[in-house]
Amino acid sequence: AGSHLKTFQNEIELFADEFSIPIVLNTKLPELWLDFSADILICNRNEAGERDICSFGAKSDRIIITCGEYGVKLINRNRIMNEFKTVASMVRDVTGAGDAFLAGVSKWIVDGKCERHCMLSNEEFSAMVNNGQRASAHCVSQYGCGNPGLSR
């Protein structure tokens, strides 16, 4: 499985370079990707586990760890950690919250705000995280799915 994963990782890098898009990695098994150079690695606190957070994803430029009701932790390329409190004010159902967060981050990127190997300022990265948090907050505020209206 190791050689197949390496081949897959190489194909991802070629695709991202060709289209000048960042590699955003959201994985249930982050230990498989520790040597992979993603622009942004996203996982939740359970997936991050008890690892030394500052060495976790050592080759990734930025690491986002979603922490449910405790918000989001961001570790930048200099291994400086920032924490963002949750923006959800009403929680009915947390099903899909992580997927909604990833969708909000992806929407921010697709809107042309980030390219491959882009050097985002802390303010820009905060805006990207906030877009993910807004989508997630919308998701948890209702039963079932709906349009979070991220274009506003």
Side-chain angles (χ1 to χ4, degrees), residues 16-151:
D17 287 339
E18 180 179 344
F19 292 97
S20 190
I21 57 173
I23 297 173
V24 179
L25 179 62
N26 180 31
T27 179
K28 300 294 180 197
L29 299 169
E31 62 274 4
L32 292 178
W33 297 86
L34 293 179
D35 291 331
F36 184 67
S37 181
D39 296 297
I40 302 167
L41 173 65
I42 301 175
C43 64
N44 66 39
R45 66 176 176 234
N46 293 330
E47 293 158 357
E50 299 298 320
R51 295 173 182 85
D52 173 12
I53 293 301
C54 287
S55 65
F56 177 71
K59 293 191 176 185
S60 297
D61 288 342
R62 306 278 179 130
I63 303 165
I64 299 173
I65 301 173
T66 58
C67 301
E69 67 273 18
Y70 302 108
V72 175
K73 291 182 181 179
L74 163 66
I75 302 169
N76 69 17
R77 69 184 72 61
N78 298 319
R79 300 305 178 235
I80 297 171
M81 187 182 319
N82 293 315
E83 295 186 27
F84 300 86
K85 294 183 185 217
T86 185
V87 298
S89 58
M90 177 180 29
V91 177
R92 290 198 170 117
D93 182 8
V94 298
T95 304
D99 294 331
F101 179 86
L102 181 60
V105 166
S106 299
K107 168 84 167 91
W108 192 88
I109 291 168
V110 168
D111 283 347
K113 304 213 170 100
C114 182
E115 295 180 357
R116 180 86 167 115
H117 301 300
C118 65
M119 303 297 278
L120 296 175
S121 69
N122 284 338
E123 293 78 23
E124 291 169 320
F125 208 77
S126 294
M128 183 177 72
V129 168
N130 183 263
N131 211 56
Q133 286 185 304
R134 286 179 34 231
S136 186
H138 177 79
C139 174
V140 301
S141 70
Q142 61 188 354
Y143 296 106
C145 58
N147 182 350
L150 294 176
S151 60

